[in-house]
Amino acid sequence: MEPRLVGPGPYRATRLWNEIIELFRAGMPVRKHRCRFKSYERCFKASEAVDILHELLGSNQNFGPEVTRDQTVKLLKKFLKNHVIEDIKGRWGKEDFQDDGHLYRFPPSSPLKSYPKKPSCGKEIIKFPDWNEPKAGTSQEHIPVKSVTMNSEMWYKRHSIAIGEVPACKLVFRRELTQTNIEEIWKSMTLSQLQKVLGLDSLDEVLDVKLVNSKHIVQNVYNVNKQGIVTLEDKSKELPHWILSAMKCLANWPSCSDLKQPAYVGFERDVFKTIVDYFDQMKEPLLTFHFFDVFVSVLGLLQKHSKAVEALQISCLLLPPENRKRLQLLVRMMARISLNKDFPPLSESVRTRTLMVQAFSHCILCSKDEIDLDELLAAKLVSFLMDNYQEILSVPSALKSSVEDHVERLQRVQIKCARADTDATFPPPPFCHQISTDEFEYQRATGSQEPLAALLDEIVMNKEIPVKDKKKKLKQFQKSYPEVYRVRFPTPETEAVLFPEKTKQKPPILTWALKKPFQPFHRTRSFRM
């Protein structure tokens, strides 16, 4: 059985768990072993299981070569706890797995997990105000609006003579967007883009959208300093000063000008342990329990680098601002320590980069229900974060521009015409005041008819329009605006003056010019026979 890449989607952790079990059972050789003068059929040693599983995980593109032997042992402990394997006496669950010569075997029952059925919470439909409807208690017809002067070029563009009708135009008034409206727009467009990048039909199986706080998204986008780090409004949620100092000390090692560093050997190890202990005592990981399935699903895109970066950019915008800030500071420190060749080793047996991943993976990503592949999935994600943290933990510029353009478009007043290619947009009126009925009737008459009358005069006076086309345009204008046309041409005679008929001349009678006057026929002498 060949390993395959498990892409994004619901229950990805469970799908990976089942695949690893199937690969392990298919690839683990079993044979007869003796233990304490007794033979056992179809079993294997613990150390052999560690060798096979470690090699399998390292060659699997879902995990990669960074998986350590210690992580492999931890996974086999979970295999024993979940009855994927059992010892030769049939014991499992509470037994401890060690990397030694103890004998184990596969139980006859299937160890694969069924996919969990999450309670259906229903799709959340984010409702926005109907921007095309006026507020309650007001009528769009009773709002005085400054008339728009239309020239012939604009009129020709909007009203096609070939269609045979002039569509009606109307002003579309927009409601003023509140901060809540803008936050909900950010939430809707962010989740829509995340769903698109993940290639899912719905986010329901990987995320409960009701748990997404729209205020967090807006704060993570706009409340940032020059370095792109989130600034918090509530200062009580900041990291303690002594932790910030410790992280800054290790990130800038050995040149940390504002700190007086002790001279004893092993100082940096003590500082590192202090930071690890602080993050270990957190009750919830930085990526939160609610978003575990989202980030696990994103791991299925790691083979497509740009897609994975974009998906993580968007996913990290959903975090509470204090979590995002701590993640930014922690991952930046981890990356700088790993790349610092002058940094003294923090362990005698483990590389610095591997130690960073092992020390902080659990406090960055883990499941509330202790899913069996937590450590491996978290290590994979943290490694990718360390390599690309500057891109991932920055605000996605494309999404920001898209949302801001959409908000700006909604805040305009538009003139919409049926079958018009483009809309003429105008800034919203600064204010409106109530007027009397008579004044409204007068404004409606003068405000709408004067521009149309000017347009009609322009058509009449335009000498560049051929007579045939001018007649068609006037006929179309008369059909669409009969009242305005009647004022300009009250009688057929006034219209006839515009197109005077030419007098038709009869063609002259054809005369033949005769050289001699007509003479009667004279009988001539016939030839004699």
Side-chain angles (χ1 to χ4, degrees), residues 492-503:
E493 291 75 14
T494 57
E495 182 181 2
V497 175
L498 186 61
F499 304 104
E501 294 184 0
K502 297 181 180 180
T503 58

Side-chain angles (χ1 to χ4, degrees), residues 103-159:
L103 297 179
Y104 293 88
R105 65 189 181 191
F106 293 115
S109 59
S110 174
L112 300 182
K113 289 188 175 182
S114 59
Y115 296 114
K117 294 183 179 180
K118 293 185 177 181
S120 177
C121 55
K123 294 184 179 180
E124 181 190 18
I125 301 176
I126 301 175
K127 295 183 178 180
F128 298 101
D130 189 351
W131 314 112
N132 293 326
E133 293 183 358
K135 292 182 179 179
T138 63
S139 174
Q140 185 170 337
E141 297 181 356
H142 291 77
I143 301 178
V145 180
K146 184 179 179 181
S147 60
V148 180
T149 303
M150 299 178 65
N151 56 25
S152 59
E153 182 180 355
M154 183 184 297
W155 190 82
Y156 297 150
K157 182 178 181 181
R158 292 185 177 277
H159 311 293

Side-chain angles (χ1 to χ4, degrees), residues 152-396:
S152 59
E153 182 180 355
M154 183 184 297
W155 190 82
Y156 297 150
K157 182 178 181 181
R158 292 185 177 277
H159 311 293
S160 174
I161 298 300
I163 296 177
E165 61 178 349
V166 178
C169 299
K170 67 175 182 178
L171 288 174
V172 179
F173 295 90
R174 304 298 192 188
R175 288 183 177 180
E176 182 180 355
L177 296 182
T178 64
Q179 181 63 24
T180 302
N181 295 145
I182 295 175
E183 290 170 356
E184 290 302 312
I185 292 172
W186 263 103
K187 175 180 177 179
S188 175
M189 296 186 68
T190 300
L191 294 178
S192 176
Q193 185 63 20
L194 177 60
Q195 178 179 331
K196 179 180 177 181
V197 175
L198 292 178
L200 303 178
D201 295 332
S202 172
L203 292 176
D204 288 349
E205 300 296 341
V206 298
L207 174 66
D208 185 355
V209 296
K210 293 180 180 179
L211 301 177
V212 177
N213 191 322
S214 57
K215 293 182 180 295
H216 292 168
I217 301 175
V218 176
Q219 291 177 16
N220 289 334
V221 171
Y222 293 105
N223 293 7
V224 295
N225 59 19
K226 294 181 179 180
Q227 290 74 35
I229 306 297
V230 177
T231 58
L232 304 182
E233 298 178 354
D234 187 356
K235 300 304 178 183
S236 64
K237 296 182 179 180
E238 295 277 5
L239 283 171
H241 177 71
W242 54 276
I243 285 293
L244 284 173
S245 299
M247 295 174 69
K248 186 175 181 181
C249 173
L250 296 187
N252 299 320
W253 187 276
S255 57
C256 191
S257 58
D258 61 339
L259 294 176
K260 296 181 180 179
Q261 302 174 7
Y264 69 88
V265 178
F267 165 72
E268 65 283 344
R269 295 189 181 187
D270 292 342
V271 175
F272 180 73
K273 186 177 184 305
T274 301
I275 298 172
V276 173
D277 291 342
Y278 175 81
F279 282 97
D280 276 344
Q281 53 84 31
M282 294 191 309
K283 297 180 180 180
E284 189 175 26
L286 294 177
L287 300 184
T288 76
F289 293 135
H290 298 314
F291 301 128
F292 174 80
D293 289 333
V294 174
F295 286 99
V296 170
S297 188
V298 172
L299 285 173
L301 295 173
L302 293 189
Q303 301 297 325
K304 304 175 182 178
H305 183 273
S306 59
K307 287 285 187 181
V309 169
E310 183 181 3
L312 287 173
Q313 274 185 331
I314 299 173
S315 301
C316 289
L317 285 182
L318 309 180
L319 299 174
E322 59 271 18
N323 288 43
R324 180 177 172 88
K325 181 171 185 176
R326 295 186 180 197
L327 181 67
Q328 289 175 315
L329 296 174
L330 178 60
V331 176
R332 185 176 66 173
M333 181 202 75
M334 295 166 60
R336 288 186 176 182
I337 292 176
S338 301
L339 297 174
N340 190 350
K341 297 180 180 180
D342 297 327
F343 200 90
L346 296 172
S347 174
E348 301 297 337
S349 58
V350 182
R351 293 188 305 117
T352 301
R353 176 185 171 88
T354 304
L355 182 62
M356 290 292 141
V357 175
Q358 292 179 352
F360 295 109
S361 291
H362 186 74
C363 68
I364 292 178
L365 178 69
C366 71
S367 171
K368 187 176 182 179
D369 301 326
E370 295 185 1
I371 293 179
D372 305 294
L373 296 176
D374 276 6
E375 290 87 355
L376 297 180
L377 297 174
K380 187 72 173 178
L381 178 65
V382 171
S383 297
F384 191 79
L385 276 174
M386 289 173 59
D387 294 335
N388 306 277
Y389 76 95
Q390 291 182 335
E391 290 182 89
I392 293 173
L393 296 177
S394 62
V395 177

Side-chain angles (χ1 to χ4, degrees), residues 370-426:
E370 295 185 1
I371 293 179
D372 305 294
L373 296 176
D374 276 6
E375 290 87 355
L376 297 180
L377 297 174
K380 187 72 173 178
L381 178 65
V382 171
S383 297
F384 191 79
L385 276 174
M386 289 173 59
D387 294 335
N388 306 277
Y389 76 95
Q390 291 182 335
E391 290 182 89
I392 293 173
L393 296 177
S394 62
V395 177
S397 57
L399 176 63
K400 183 179 179 182
S401 299
S402 178
V403 175
E404 290 176 346
D405 290 346
H406 182 68
V407 171
E408 182 182 359
R409 194 159 52 248
L410 290 176
Q411 290 176 331
R412 295 176 181 171
V413 172
Q414 298 182 351
I415 293 181
K416 288 192 173 181
C417 294
R419 298 174 184 165
D421 295 334
T422 57
D423 290 336
T425 57
F426 301 89

